Amino acid sequence: MYLKRLALRDYRNYESVEFSTEGAVNIFVGPNAQGKTNLLEAIFVLALTKSHRTHQDKELIRWGAESTVLRGELDKKYGPCTLDLTFTNQGKKAKINGLEQKKLSGFIGSLNVVMFAPEDLSIVKGSPGIRRRFLDMEIGQVQPSYLYDLTQYQKVLVQRNNFLKQAYKDSAASGMMMDVWNEQLVTLSIKIMKKRQNFINKLQIWAESIHRGITNGLEALKIEYKPSFAYEDSVEESVLFEQYMIKLSQAKDQELRRSTTLYGPHRDDLAFFINGKDVQTFGSQGQQRTTALSLKLAEIEFIQEEVGEYPILLLDDVLSELDTYRQTQLLETFQTKVQTFITTTGVESLQMNRLENASIFHVRNGELVLS
């Protein structure tokens, strides 16, 4: 998968910008707050139709403009592909090769990306929300149906929480209505949980191998999916449904008192272990960063395995955060097989002698110049 050209209109701080990629490695250089990250974000948005930095699509539209338009021209294993994405205050429209997609799920997955940003270095020691976002973004772009299930789940969750608040105030609230919300919540939860577990099972294989390589065989990495409702991975869905419904029934009084749903994918988490020890609690900073790096490198291989071609790698000012050894591991991984886009405030933070066929773009005040 290769992004040949990117064109933006009224996107963030860019009135109009377009560029063609000449190398497998493309580096955006410039001071902070000039628009480097906006370019990587735009590629990410073309892949997933939403930003990794904001939940408000209107923030993508340049101040004073009514809409923003993104276009990406790709080379894929099945041939060329043009993606168009338009955001307005009324919503968004997506086209593939000029054909409008009735559902965004038909658009997502046309472009696959792996984003590695400084906040991903804290995926191990950061909040559970960071790890859930990691799950959602990576599964969503190879299984668009996952994003649909997740959206439906979030709607049911909001409605169920509103019902819990009302039911706590009104003791005469219908118990039958609670059963209806429980059934919807559990049905969607099981779909999401199963897909998350399957993703982790596959990612584990790649991450464990990569981590052993980075640590010269001294460390064994294990990733553990920790759903808020614990269950056996092998249990049949019909049995899991009944177990989950019983759990919600047992938690009813507590949920009514707290007016919130206590069990579901919105409370899931991940745990990481090196040689049997919890990395979040007992790991050194170096081990935590190596774990995060192993995860990102494993994502690349996972996507290739799922869709049959490598994704595009987006490195947002992250290389300067890695020491020389970890930077070398990352550079050697993508150098020969993955098209990569890098942002940095200065090339002196990069091992330029290890970068082959690299193009350097200078970014300043929303303008782009190829050096």
Side-chain angles (χ1 to χ4, degrees):
M1 191 172 298
Y2 195 92
L3 178 63
K4 297 189 301 180
R5 180 174 171 271
L6 179 70
L8 308 175
R9 192 188 73 210
D10 292 324
Y11 185 87
R12 293 283 194 180
N13 68 323
Y14 291 96
E15 181 177 357
S16 179
V17 65
E18 63 179 86
F19 66 91
S20 298
T21 58
E22 298 182 3
V25 179
N26 300 274
I27 306 172
F28 301 119
V29 183
N32 291 325
Q34 302 300 305
K36 302 188 303 297
T37 295
N38 293 344
L39 295 172
L40 264 62
E41 178 193 43
I43 300 172
F44 187 95
V45 170
L46 268 177
L48 284 157
T49 73
K50 61 181 180 180
S51 171
H52 64 294
R53 300 159 70 196
T54 177
H55 296 295
Q56 301 294 323
D57 289 340
K58 63 182 180 181
E59 293 181 12
L60 305 180
I61 303 173
R62 189 174 64 89
W63 180 259
E66 296 182 353
S67 65
T68 183
V69 180
L70 301 82
R71 165 170 283 200
E73 296 178 7
L74 309 175
D75 265 341
K76 303 181 68 175
K77 66 177 182 178
Y78 299 117
C81 177
T82 299
L83 303 178
D84 291 288
L85 196 56
T86 301
F87 291 83
T88 67
N89 291 327
Q90 285 72 47
K92 43 194 165 189
K93 293 182 179 180
K95 295 180 180 179
I96 300 176
N97 293 329
L99 298 176
E100 186 169 339
Q101 305 300 297
K102 293 182 179 180
K103 295 182 178 180
L104 290 177
S105 58
F107 181 87
I108 297 171
S110 302
L111 168 63
N112 299 117
V113 299
V114 169
M115 168 74 81
F116 196 11
E119 56 265 30
D120 293 316
L121 290 169
S122 64
I123 194 171
V124 178
K125 61 180 180 180
S127 69
I130 294 175
R131 290 182 284 278
R132 287 193 293 270
R133 185 180 68 177
F134 162 75
L135 287 171
D136 295 340
M137 288 183 171
E138 304 320 318
I139 302 173
Q141 63 174 316
V142 295
Q143 298 180 27
S145 62
Y146 173 85
L147 293 178
Y148 175 80
D149 291 337
L150 189 64
T151 299
Q152 296 303 113
Y153 172 82
Q154 290 166 343
K155 290 179 180 178
V156 170
L157 180 64
V158 170
Q159 293 169 327
R160 187 177 187 272
N161 284 342
N162 288 336
F163 177 79
L164 287 170
K165 293 174 185 176
Q166 184 61 37
Y168 183 67
K169 297 175 183 178
D170 179 7
S171 58
S174 171
M176 290 182 62
M177 196 62 203
M178 176 65 87
D179 290 339
V180 171
W181 289 126
N182 286 355
E183 288 182 10
Q184 292 186 32
L185 185 87
V186 171
T187 299
L188 290 165
S189 293
I190 290 174
K191 290 182 179 181
I192 295 167
M193 290 158 59
K194 286 291 187 179
K195 287 176 181 177
R196 285 179 174 179
Q197 183 68 70
N198 184 57
F199 169 69
I200 292 302
N201 291 345
K202 292 182 177 181
L203 195 70
Q204 168 67 38
I205 298 171
W206 288 110
E208 182 178 10
S209 174
I210 290 169
H211 195 90
R212 281 191 180 278
I214 294 176
T215 61
N216 295 317
L218 297 176
E219 296 180 355
L221 173 65
K222 185 177 186 300
I223 311 170
E224 186 177 312
Y225 174 46
K226 300 180 75 66
S228 64
F229 172 70
Y231 69 97
E232 294 292 332
D233 189 17
S234 58
V235 69
E236 293 184 6
E237 289 192 17
S238 60
V239 176
L240 177 57
F241 182 91
E242 294 301 324
Q243 293 176 345
Y244 204 152
M245 290 292 286
I246 291 172
K247 187 68 174 180
L248 290 179
S249 177
Q250 294 171 339
K252 180 179 178 181
D253 290 342
Q254 188 180 7
E255 288 189 325
L256 285 170
R257 287 196 303 270
R258 297 176 61 177
S259 299
T260 192
T261 301
L262 298 177
Y263 297 96
H266 64 293
R267 290 177 175 265
D268 286 356
D269 202 353
L270 296 176
F272 307 96
F273 300 89
I274 290 180
N275 297 340
K277 293 184 178 180
D278 189 322
V279 183
Q280 184 176 32
T281 305
F282 302 105
S284 66
Q285 186 179 58
Q287 286 177 319
Q288 291 171 347
R289 291 194 169 198
T290 301
T291 299
L293 177 58
S294 298
L295 283 176
K296 288 298 172 178
L297 297 180
E299 281 182 62
I300 294 172
E301 301 297 341
F302 167 78
I303 291 176
Q304 194 281 332
E305 186 179 72
E306 289 291 305
V307 305
E309 56 187 326
Y310 281 104
I312 289 170
L313 179 60
L314 309 175
L315 302 177
D316 186 17
D317 200 27
V318 75
L319 287 177
S320 61
E321 298 288 327
L322 298 174
D323 59 32
T324 302
Y325 178 72
R326 292 179 181 83
Q327 195 180 122
T328 298
Q329 295 296 320
L330 182 54
L331 295 177
E332 290 182 350
T333 297
F334 70 68
Q335 189 76 292
T336 59
K337 55 189 178 185
V338 183
Q339 186 187 25
T340 306
F341 294 84
I342 301 170
T343 65
T344 181
T345 54
V347 293
E348 62 277 359
S349 64
L350 308 180
Q351 297 180 52
M352 292 300 295
N353 60 315
R354 290 185 175 274
L355 290 175
E356 301 174 4
N357 193 25
S359 298
I360 298 177
F361 298 87
H362 292 276
V363 182
R364 187 175 292 275
N365 294 326
E367 295 185 356
L368 202 63
V369 179
L370 175 64
S371 64

